Amino acid sequence: MENLAAKQVPDEVLNDFIIEANELIDQVNNDLLEIELGNYGEEQINRILRAFHTIKGTSSFLKIKESTKIAHTIEDLINELRRLKIRPSPEVIDVLYNTIDWYRKLIIALESQNAYDKNIKNLLNDIQNSLCAVENNSSYSVPVPSDREDLESSSLKLSKITENTIRINVENLDTLISLASELVLEKNRLLSIIRSLNKKKNCNDETSKLENLYITLGYIGNEVQEILTQTRMVPISQIFRKFYRFVRDLSRDKHKSIDLVFGKEDPRIDRSFCEIINDLLVHLLRNAVDHGIETPEIRRTKGKPEQGTIHLSAYQNGNQITIEVQDDGMGISPAIILQNAIQKEIISATKANQMTDKEILNLIFKPDFTTLTVASQISGRGIGLDVVKTNISKLNGTIDIDTKVDCGTKFIISFPVTLKILAGLAIKVVDEYFIIPAYAYYDILKLSECVIQESSGQKKVHYKNSQIPLISLAELLNISDGELQKEKYVIVVAMAEKRIGLIVTELFIHEETVVKSTVATKSKVPYTSGTTIRSNGQMALILDINKIIDWGYREEVAVI
Amino acid sequence: MQANTGLPKQLCDLTVLFVDDSLTMRRIIRNSLEKIGIHKFLEAEHGAMALELLQKHKVDVILTDWNMPVMNGEDFIKTVRRNPVLKDIPFLMITTRGMREDVLLAISLGINGYIAKPFTSNILKEKIVKLTLSKKTAEPKLKPEMLNSN
């Protein structure tokens, strides 16, 4: 007998299945999370049931027997919970999470056309045992609030969103954004033409019409760009929520009791950031669980509540997003960091005496520091922190640390909302153009008015009661020498609390440019992070201020 | 289009409405319909969407999933059967094995047949033919005692 899912499943059906199963499993994951957070109702349980029901049906066509079997058994389990109106116990939730894991692996295997895990005996047993436990003993369970009206109104609300939502291929979207960006560039070229017309004193009716056109075009272009950029954005909670389980499992593993609390705000971030943010949060949260929060016994002796708390929050301030990871653990002692840094000859003892606590704490982001194996409270603290820092520089962001012994540690990460469009200051170094990102530049000084000192080969400029490193971009970027007399300005740039002065030849007005190469393709020119086309059609490189600042401060720490 | 016009029809003349919230299932149904020569079809993700389509289009047979968000199969068939214009359109329920209670409920609400996942396009064809082409009048509604023979 022929079968439409026979041996060869059409690619399109398999693709649909992969997309759909992935979405359904994500949604089940979210519903389980809600249940764990105490929002347990018919809505969640019905959605979970429907998800597995759909998967059961579709995988039967694809002849993925294991999936059909698991989904069927889960369906029985959920049906029983629903029938008895009971809340699943932590054990049942664990089984459901394990099921999700199996499906995630299945989806990855199908996507990469690899064999999937067919050994489902243990999982099936676990599900069946849960089912028996639910049937036999519902004493641990709490009745489900059954609020039919609520359920109906909320499911209707949901339907409106789904009806107005369509799926788009990300590549198409990126192309659209790219095109919209070109529009902005062309608009900037128009401005150049208008300016040159004005300069030639050719001002007439036509020029002012052109100017009006420029304004309208600008308005439309901005709207298009804004909406498209919004489309690329995802709420940060999408990343955060996944960590609830991560922290829960990890702390259970370490025999610690830790509550992960999310902040109230939910800013949206560029979707291309998700992976990077995810990676660095893995490091920071693992560190917090492993080394930050003490064991319940130790916490008791310190007079702290046995359960530790990690606050994970994010907020938006203008064009900056800030993420904070704060634990109420043991904190990090600058004295111990310093002691180890001296021991490992990362810094000299004389240098150490001059360092502020803040500077000392920043040592933990040094790659060298991570190789330290210190049997003390900071062991492991350094591990991966340079990785964190690398990831943050990919976002053009900064990381800061705030810590107090026995009170806890807070990591503060800030980065611009999107990498695609960059507002910046165009500068000229000798005869080449560069862009300094708007989030980094701080102040502009006239070189002729600066007080410059030179000590041990490094120039410093006096700026607001302190000496900051002064770097000649022409020297740093190796641009033809002998023209230094042309330099006119010092631009003060800042990341976190580090400031640096950059000597440049010329400045141009603030302009919006579109970053051509982003995270994936880093520019090969040192100290730059991408390229862009300026309004006059000239190419400009975007300066990687993070790297330049690191270079400026490197001397200070490493010279012994 | 009412199925009880008495005129014999070809499969290719039929307009089929299928309702399923799963995009994979909709693709599978679409593929099978095309395979058996039905090219006029409408699709909906749930009952409410299907009802909107029914207001604008004449439909010869409805295939519907049961467990759907927004408006499930139960509410969908109830609404259709109460509507004087639509009430005679044959309904084929798409279900999975072991959903006996759902099927019994669906029968009591007046479905004309059901088909269990996974099905082949031949079985789907047989069911559709049975409901639309072979009789002068619409297939009598299913009765619970017929369940085992199906």
Side-chain angles (χ1 to χ4, degrees), chain B residues 1 54 59-62 80-81 86-91 112:
Chain B
M1 192 167 298
L54 283 169
V59 169
D60 298 299
V61 62
I62 298 171
V80 171
R81 289 288 182 243
L86 308 173
K87 66 179 171 44
D88 292 322
I89 303 178
F91 255 85
N112 307 79

Side-chain angles (χ1 to χ4, degrees), chain A residues 1-4 10 12-13 16-17 19-20 49-50 53-54 56-58 60-61 72 75 155-156 159 163 167, chain B residues 21-25 27-28 31-32 35 46 49 65 67-70 96-97 99 117-123:
Chain A
M1 200 197 290
E2 56 113 40
N3 187 317
L4 58 104
E12 46 183 34
V13 175
D16 281 351
F17 176 79
I19 293 171
E20 187 174 59
L49 188 64
R50 206 155 48 223
H53 183 75
T54 300
K56 178 174 88 169
T58 49
S60 72
F61 279 97
H72 180 78
E75 219 181 350
S155 67
L156 278 176
S159 76
E163 271 172 34
R167 260 176 262 267
Chain B
D21 59 318
S22 156
L23 82 120
T24 317
M25 271 317 295
R27 171 91 72 181
I28 290 168
N31 285 356
S32 352
K35 201 162 184 174
H46 49 71
M49 214 185 236
D65 184 25
N67 197 344
M68 297 177 285
V70 189
T96 39
R97 286 178 219 290
M99 305 303 283
K117 290 181 258 188
F119 49 80
T120 63
S121 35
N122 263 348
I123 292 184

Side-chain angles (χ1 to χ4, degrees), chain B residues 28-132:
Chain B
I28 290 168
I29 296 169
R30 205 182 306 137
N31 285 356
S32 352
L33 288 175
E34 283 183 339
K35 201 162 184 174
I36 60 181
I38 295 178
H39 301 287
K40 286 191 276 179
F41 45 71
L42 301 161
E43 45 188 290
E45 286 176 33
H46 49 71
M49 214 185 236
L51 285 174
E52 267 180 41
L53 289 174
L54 283 169
Q55 282 175 2
K56 293 177 204 146
H57 305 272
K58 286 191 172 182
V59 169
D60 298 299
V61 62
I62 298 171
L63 310 180
T64 184
D65 184 25
W66 206 245
N67 197 344
M68 297 177 285
V70 189
M71 184 190 255
N72 61 23
E74 182 184 340
D75 293 336
F76 174 46
I77 189 171
K78 277 184 190 163
T79 316
V80 171
R81 289 288 182 243
R82 273 200 303 262
N83 184 307
V85 185
L86 308 173
K87 66 179 171 44
D88 292 322
I89 303 178
F91 255 85
L92 190 62
M93 175 198 192
I94 302 166
T95 180
T96 39
R97 286 178 219 290
M99 305 303 283
R100 204 185 153 85
E101 279 171 28
D102 278 354
V103 175
L104 285 172
L105 173 65
I107 289 171
S108 74
L109 294 173
I111 54 161
N112 307 79
Y114 68 91
I115 184 165
K117 290 181 258 188
F119 49 80
T120 63
S121 35
N122 263 348
I123 292 184
L124 183 65
K125 184 178 174 182
E126 272 172 34
K127 299 262 179 186
I128 292 177
V129 168
K130 205 168 155 194
L131 291 191
T132 53

